[in-house]
Amino acid sequence: KGQDYPVAYVRWTENRNMEEFLRLVSTGRVQLRPLVTHRFQLEEATRAYQTILDPASNSLAVLLRYPAAESSDIPSEFAPQRRIQVASPQSSADLRVGLVGAGNLARWAHLPNLKKIPGVNLHAVYSANGARGKSYARRFGASYCSSDYDAILKDHEIDIVLILSRNQDHASQAVAALRAGKHVFLEKPMALTVEECREINRAVKESGRQLTVGFNRRFAPFYREQKHQLARRTGPAVINCRVNSPGISGSYWMADPSIGGAILGEACHFADLMYWLLESEPLSVAAYSLPTDQKEPVGQNNMAASFRFADGSIGNLTYCTVGSKKSAGERVEVFAQGVGVETADFKRLSIKTSIEQNRSLWWGEKGYKAQLESFIDGIRKGIPPEVTFIDGARATIVCLRMLESARTLEPSVIDLDDVLSRSNS
């Protein structure tokens, strides 16, 4: 995480060793020229490395000579190129998108879906990893790529910023994009703290731009059918969400509780889903986690929580990272008077009312394309998105209260109005 070892414990880390060597060279205490035993032109680099690996060569320092070093036109200063034109600017689209974060979700979900929507073009790609940003820009037809986020913000041709970066960057990048006059599609979680929720709320109101949060389950066909069936109920309901994510463990960044962990980073999906299915505000939560005094499994990522809702409904959310990879990933059950509906992994739907219906899909439809289409259509028509800032704030606050309850071993009150009222003051 970029944290250096204390000098008292480790005097010569690799980084300090390099710093000291460069210091000695700069002061003339170390002379490099006498150390060079072999010299090669750049095109002979293969031979150079073979020499290093050959004990019989007695090599000490092997020098590679670059053609530019022998040129009379040597640049006085090196200026890194933060923006690279990949293709000619596209003029056919009425909406242009800037991608922020060139990760797997962009590659297999959002960018392929974006290409299928008429009248929308990927205009630019921002990634801290310049090589990957350039690769995505070429593959998906962007005009340019950049390793400078300000280039996206200052580009007046960009209408929508699609933020798919790491969780800890979501809020700051969204606020900056809104204040730059862009509409924002922000992958979940919207924020990691209450204050970040308030900052986003202020930016949305002051900018007049639209922001949506990537809660794709609201747009998945089987979850939509589950909501339709539950809407027929005449009283409160019981809802149960069971999620198994064994991949969020070890050194995977999503497992780190300091940047949200599995609960803020992934369980927020189900905090939103329960509210959406019931159309009722969560009022309180009581939660327990696995022990937090060991490195693996991460206790905060393994949690059982019970909720009370405003309409009298109750719900359970069990989220774990310790299960088998062969176990189902997610199962959501809802029960009301005369109604029972179960979904599993976007692939299976079971409806039990006066009759029983079962449906299945070979490939689960997760709702990514439908949500992106809905958001873009709303921008064109000037209507609010189906998922708003309030939904993102609710999910974040619910997860924060889950973590708080598990830490204090006391029920925690969920007060969304308090967050909104303070951000408006």
Side-chain angles (χ1 to χ4, degrees):
K1 299 180 180 178
Q3 298 176 9
D4 208 353
Y5 287 102
V7 174
Y9 289 90
V10 182
R11 178 63 187 94
W12 293 109
T13 61
E14 185 174 353
N15 193 55
R16 293 191 196 119
N17 236 325
M18 290 190 291
E19 287 178 342
E20 176 62 12
F21 178 75
L22 292 174
R23 188 190 69 81
L24 292 171
V25 170
S26 68
T27 60
R29 298 285 300 278
V30 170
Q31 297 291 323
L32 295 181
R33 196 173 299 276
L35 304 179
V36 178
T37 56
H38 297 76
R39 292 174 171 82
F40 295 91
Q41 296 297 320
L42 181 61
E43 59 268 22
E44 300 177 301
T46 301
R47 284 184 56 207
Y49 284 102
Q50 290 173 345
T51 300
I52 294 171
L53 296 172
D54 181 8
S57 71
N58 293 319
S59 66
L60 183 56
V62 176
L63 184 69
L64 287 177
R65 300 188 65 86
Y66 284 72
E70 300 171 355
S71 171
S72 59
D73 185 21
I74 300 176
S76 58
E77 292 184 6
F78 171 72
Q81 194 172 354
R82 303 294 299 275
R83 170 172 167 160
I84 298 176
Q85 199 74 23
V86 175
S88 299
Q90 304 177 37
S91 58
S92 59
D94 61 339
L95 289 173
R96 293 179 176 85
V97 175
L99 172 71
V100 176
N104 290 331
L105 186 60
R107 177 171 54 85
W108 63 257
H110 289 300
L111 292 182
N113 289 330
L114 193 67
K115 289 180 72 71
K116 299 173 185 176
I117 302 174
V120 183
N121 279 337
L122 176 66
H123 184 65
V125 173
Y126 161 76
S127 174
N129 184 320
R132 184 181 296 174
K134 186 176 181 180
S135 171
Y136 278 40
R138 283 178 169 170
R139 178 173 178 178
F140 294 99
S143 298
Y144 70 89
C145 62
S146 178
S147 58
D148 181 7
Y149 185 45
D150 282 343
I152 304 295
L153 300 179
K154 293 175 181 177
D155 188 339
H156 298 298
E157 293 191 344
I158 293 177
D159 306 291
I160 302 168
V161 175
L162 180 58
I163 299 178
L164 311 178
S165 52
R166 291 196 174 186
N167 299 345
Q168 64 269 31
D169 298 322
H170 284 188
S172 60
Q173 289 176 342
V175 168
L178 289 165
R179 297 199 186 282
K182 319 295 186 187
H183 301 291
V184 175
F185 186 111
L186 177 60
E187 256 306 329
K188 56 76 204 165
M190 185 186 81
L192 299 180
T193 67
V194 171
E195 185 51 43
E196 285 182 345
C197 290
R198 291 174 179 148
E199 289 176 7
I200 293 174
N201 187 29
R202 286 190 286 267
V204 168
K205 293 192 172 184
E206 292 168 6
S207 68
R209 302 290 90 183
Q210 293 193 14
L211 175 139
T212 197
V213 184
F215 290 138
N216 55 289
R217 281 160 181 77
R218 292 192 183 200
F219 299 83
F222 282 174
Y223 280 121
R224 288 208 162 198
E225 181 61 28
Q226 192 173 43
K227 178 180 174 67
H228 173 71
Q229 295 293 332
L230 194 60
R232 300 179 179 183
R233 74 188 193 276
T234 57
V238 177
I239 187 166
N240 183 59
C241 303
R242 193 274 288 154
V243 188
N244 173 50
S245 298
I248 303 180
S249 58
S251 60
Y252 182 35
W253 67 268
M254 280 282 291
D256 186 352
S258 70
I259 53 173
I263 300 304
L264 276 160
E266 287 292 329
C268 62
H269 268 307
F270 301 91
D272 176 72
L273 185 65
M274 287 190 290
Y275 161 79
W276 177 71
L277 288 171
L278 296 170
E279 291 190 351
S280 181
E281 291 289 344
L283 300 180
S284 64
V285 59
Y288 296 91
S289 74
L290 289 183
T292 58
D293 57 354
Q294 53 191 17
K295 185 176 180 180
E296 189 70 30
V298 178
Q300 296 96 320
N301 291 341
N302 295 270
M303 193 168 291
S306 294
F307 295 87
R308 182 171 61 89
F309 294 87
D311 68 348
S313 297
I314 55 175
N316 291 314
L317 169 56
T318 300
Y319 198 102
C320 71
T321 65
V322 295
S324 165
K325 292 184 179 180
K326 295 183 179 180
S327 300
E330 63 186 70
R331 178 177 289 119
V332 178
E333 302 169 297
V334 295
F335 303 98
Q337 193 68 38
V339 179
V341 188
E342 177 185 331
T343 60
D345 292 337
F346 301 95
K347 297 178 182 179
R348 294 184 296 279
L349 173 70
S350 175
I351 303 171
K352 294 175 179 156
T353 53
S354 56
I355 59 173
E356 182 174 340
Q357 305 174 57
N358 295 290
R359 303 180 207 168
S360 62
L361 297 171
W362 185 255
W363 295 106
E365 174 52 61
K366 298 186 176 183
Y368 288 113
K369 182 172 181 283
Q371 182 175 12
L372 194 56
E373 286 177 324
S374 174
F375 181 58
I376 290 171
D377 187 54
I379 291 172
R380 289 191 175 119
K381 295 177 179 177
I383 59 176
E386 294 185 51
V387 182
T388 68
F389 150 78
I390 294 175
D391 299 309
R394 179 190 301 106
T396 291
I397 292 164
V398 165
C399 291
L400 288 171
R401 297 299 174 258
M402 285 173 61
L403 292 164
E404 178 184 80
S405 176
R407 186 173 60 252
T408 64
L409 302 181
E410 296 286 343
S412 186
V413 174
I414 301 166
D415 191 350
L416 182 61
D417 288 337
D418 177 61
V419 174
L420 298 179
S421 62
R422 291 194 186 188
S423 60
N424 292 334
S425 60

